[in-house]
Amino acid sequence: MYQLPIIVGEYPVQCTCPQCKAQIVTRTEKKVGLFAWLLCGIMVLIAFWICCFIPFCVDACKDTEHYCPSCNTLIGAHKKL
Ligand SMILES: [Zn+2]
């Protein structure tokens, strides 16, 4: 097992893959995380329930996961919360 380096960014970063030791630029994936759920909850509370689905459609509200493009190992994650 290896320690996941903490990646604090929403955009792909250049690093060495801990799994295949290749010099790579991470592939990022957006995941619906706690932040999007929280935003949804707040919108429901203040009667914006019509648009409470928006946090799930807007990438800026989602968490970002970084994967190695050659071996698909999860390298790090950027969480909104
Ligand atoms: Zn790799």
Side-chain angles (χ1 to χ4, degrees):
M1 281 301 285
Y2 58 87
Q3 193 74 33
L4 285 179
I6 299 151
I7 296 174
V8 280
E10 295 180 41
Y11 304 102
V13 290
Q14 191 173 26
C15 66
T16 304
C17 173
Q19 189 68 32
C20 63
K21 311 290 180 203
Q23 193 72 25
I24 48 106
V25 175
T26 57
R27 177 172 62 80
T28 55
E29 265 181 31
K30 295 290 182 182
K31 290 280 162 69
V32 173
L34 202 59
F35 185 74
W37 281 108
L38 210 73
L39 219 60
C40 170
I42 291 166
M43 282 181 169
V44 168
L45 281 177
I46 55 180
F48 284 143
W49 56 270
I50 302 159
C51 51
C52 71
F53 62 88
I54 287 174
F56 300 106
C57 307
V58 180
D59 273 357
C61 299
K62 294 177 186 174
D63 295 339
T64 308
E65 290 185 339
H66 292 260
Y67 291 91
C68 170
S70 63
C71 70
N72 281 322
T73 299
L74 177 64
I75 294 170
H78 173 259
K79 302 229 181 269
K80 289 287 178 184
L81 287 176

